[in-house]
Structure formats: structure tokens, C-alpha cells
Amino acid sequence: MTTAPANGNTGQKKIYVTLSALPLTFELKWPFHKSTSGADFWVLHTDIQLQNSAGLHAPVAVNLSATVREIVPSLEAKDVEGPVINSLRKDVDRRQVEFVKSGKLIPVNFSSRHYDFKRSKWVFGKASDEEIARLLSRKVYWQTRIVGGAVWVADPTEALYVESTTEHVLDIARKLATEGLMTLEGEYASANASLMAQAETFEADMRAAVEELEKKHAYERG
């Protein structure tokens, strides 16, 4: 669960699904603090929790570089929460993060690799409309299944993740609504029975992604 005041309903656990189909929550332990090792970076301890699993999680130390510190207006949640979450999601997409039942804190770099200096914007990779539709369907399914209630589909963090705008993401959500998968009220979606009936597909996608992730890390361990 994130703790930022900037992203809608602060008291509700939010599910952020990766493009690789994994439903995650992020416990961001604000604030960033200066590294005590003498290195020129700032640290934010975060626990990435793999939902619908037997307590698997990834405790990480997000190391924000001096270059990024010059880019962002501040190190407060309102300015960096979205980029931090999406940087970590991309690390999960690239299978750089391992989920375990217990484990030590792993450092991950939050550097300027996702920042386009020419356009002065964060870039996490442009998703197709089909990929965005699949992401939204999974998000609404998992949020409904695990938390319940309406799902904020116009979350700017989601639009940033797929390199789009909140309005375009809403347009795609509206198309899903016309297909009967969800009901939209403003920026919030509620899952319809036809979406929840696809549980087997969503959960199979998740299992396949977890297996690929585990296979990669098992290979690296030898």
C-alpha cells in the first residue's frame, strides 16, 4: 500500500499490475533519506508485495541517484511516487526482482535511465492500446478480487507506466465498459460479472509470469 497523499484514496490498498501480469502492492516507507555510506544518493526502503501468493514479497532499498535528484522538484511522494513505482514495475517486468517469503534488503537503482532529457519527461515504454486494455482489465479484476470497491483507472501512475495520458487510458476503459466488462462512473471502474468470470485466465497469466520469474532467478543461482 502506498502512503502518498497525491494519489486518490489514501486509505485503500492499491493494486498495480505489471505488463507481465503480476498484481503488486508497494509499501513505500517515506521519506527518502541520504545514504549513510557516504555515497551520493538517497534511499527509500520499499516492500513490493506479490498479491495472490503465499506471502511472497521483495524488500528493496531504492537508491535515487544525484542526477535524478536534480531532475525532480522534491523527494516528496507527490513528486516521485509515480516514477518510483513504475521504475520498480519495470524492474519486475525485466525479471530483475525476486519475490521470496523472507529475505534481506536488496538495493535497486532509481537512475535517470527512464528519463528523456530531450523531452523532459519520464519514459517507461509506450504500450499499445491492446496492452493498455489488458492491463486495465487485469487491474480491475485484481483490485476487485483482493480489495473490493471501485477502481481508479485514471491514476496518473498508470498513464505514466504505459507512456500515455489519463484521458487516453479512460477512453480505453470506456471501450471496455461498452463491451460489458466494467461499469464506469467518472474516473472509477467497477468490475462486471463478465470480467470476474475470466478469473481462470487472469490467474493463469499470473502463474505463468511467476514461473518465468522463478525460472530466471533459479538459473542465475545455478
Side-chain angles (χ1 to χ4, degrees):
M1 180 167 67
T2 63
T3 55
N7 275 4
N9 297 329
T10 57
Q12 185 186 56
K13 179 163 70 174
K14 290 183 195 170
I15 307 295
Y16 287 102
V17 182
T18 65
L19 287 171
S20 54
L22 296 177
L24 308 174
T25 53
F26 295 83
E27 184 181 352
L28 306 170
K29 300 174 183 179
W30 302 100
F32 269 99
H33 59 270
K34 195 79 166 64
S35 169
T36 56
S37 68
D40 194 16
F41 59 83
W42 288 257
V43 180
L44 179 68
H45 290 173
T46 300
D47 195 50
I48 311 172
Q49 296 148 0
L50 179 61
Q51 298 299 307
N52 197 44
S53 72
L56 296 177
H57 69 129
V60 299
V62 178
N63 294 337
L64 182 145
S65 69
T67 303
V68 172
R69 180 65 189 91
E70 293 176 3
I71 294 168
V72 296
S74 79
L75 294 182
E76 295 179 14
K78 64 183 178 63
D79 291 318
V80 294
E81 180 184 70
V84 167
I85 287 175
N86 289 332
S87 179
L88 291 171
R89 273 205 280 189
K90 282 299 177 184
D91 283 341
V92 173
D93 280 332
R94 292 195 300 267
R95 302 174 192 158
Q96 299 300 307
V97 174
E98 182 177 15
F99 293 96
V100 294
K101 286 192 176 179
S102 62
K104 63 180 182 180
L105 205 63
I106 302 299
V108 295
N109 292 324
F110 178 38
S111 67
S112 58
R113 71 184 184 278
H114 293 300
Y115 194 79
D116 185 331
F117 286 90
K118 287 185 178 179
R119 293 186 290 167
S120 299
K121 62 183 286 190
W122 293 101
V123 175
F124 295 97
K126 189 165 183 63
S128 66
D129 285 1
E130 181 181 353
E131 288 172 321
I132 296 172
R134 191 158 53 241
L135 182 75
L136 288 176
S137 295
R138 288 168 173 164
K139 177 183 178 70
V140 174
Y141 168 78
W142 285 113
Q143 183 83 28
T144 301
R145 184 186 177 300
I146 294 169
V147 183
V151 184
W152 189 26
V153 292
D155 185 343
T157 299
E158 299 291 10
L160 185 64
Y161 180 52
V162 294
E163 199 177 331
S164 186
T165 63
T166 54
E167 185 54 42
H168 185 62
V169 171
L170 269 174
D171 282 343
I172 293 174
R174 292 184 187 106
K175 290 177 184 175
L176 294 172
T178 63
E179 295 171 12
L181 295 172
M182 58 187 71
T183 300
L184 272 183
E185 291 188 16
E187 297 184 343
Y188 290 81
S190 299
N192 289 345
S194 56
L195 180 70
M196 300 309 290
Q198 297 180 33
E200 188 175 337
T201 298
F202 293 128
E203 301 202 17
D205 289 344
M206 177 191 169
R207 285 195 301 273
V210 170
E211 287 171 8
E212 287 299 315
L213 190 62
E214 290 176 342
K215 190 186 303 181
K216 188 255 190 186
H217 288 285
Y219 174 79
E220 289 180 345
R221 286 193 298 271

mmCIF file of all heavy atoms in Angstrom, residues 16 19 182:
data_model
loop_
_atom_site.group_PDB
_atom_site.id
_atom_site.type_symbol
_atom_site.label_atom_id
_atom_site.label_comp_id
_atom_site.label_asym_id
_atom_site.label_seq_id
_atom_site.Cartn_x
_atom_site.Cartn_y
_atom_site.Cartn_z
ATOM 1 N N TYR A 16 -1.203 -2.510 -8.339
ATOM 2 C CA TYR A 16 -0.556 -2.084 -9.575
ATOM 3 C C TYR A 16 -0.095 -3.338 -10.307
ATOM 4 O O TYR A 16 0.762 -4.071 -9.819
ATOM 5 C CB TYR A 16 0.634 -1.167 -9.292
ATOM 6 C CG TYR A 16 0.233 0.218 -8.846
ATOM 7 C CD1 TYR A 16 0.297 0.586 -7.503
ATOM 8 C CD2 TYR A 16 -0.234 1.159 -9.759
ATOM 9 C CE1 TYR A 16 -0.079 1.857 -7.089
ATOM 10 C CE2 TYR A 16 -0.617 2.429 -9.360
ATOM 11 C CZ TYR A 16 -0.538 2.778 -8.022
ATOM 12 O OH TYR A 16 -0.918 4.037 -7.613
ATOM 13 N N LEU A 19 2.916 -5.179 -16.766
ATOM 14 C CA LEU A 19 2.557 -5.619 -18.115
ATOM 15 C C LEU A 19 2.780 -7.124 -18.263
ATOM 16 O O LEU A 19 2.189 -7.759 -19.129
ATOM 17 C CB LEU A 19 3.374 -4.845 -19.160
ATOM 18 C CG LEU A 19 2.955 -3.384 -19.362
ATOM 19 C CD1 LEU A 19 3.963 -2.652 -20.238
ATOM 20 C CD2 LEU A 19 1.554 -3.295 -19.969
ATOM 21 N N MET A 182 -16.888 -3.815 -17.542
ATOM 22 C CA MET A 182 -16.866 -2.984 -16.340
ATOM 23 C C MET A 182 -17.850 -1.843 -16.484
ATOM 24 O O MET A 182 -18.310 -1.526 -17.590
ATOM 25 C CB MET A 182 -15.448 -2.459 -16.067
ATOM 26 C CG MET A 182 -14.846 -1.655 -17.190
ATOM 27 S SD MET A 182 -13.077 -1.226 -16.912
ATOM 28 C CE MET A 182 -12.260 -2.814 -17.119
#
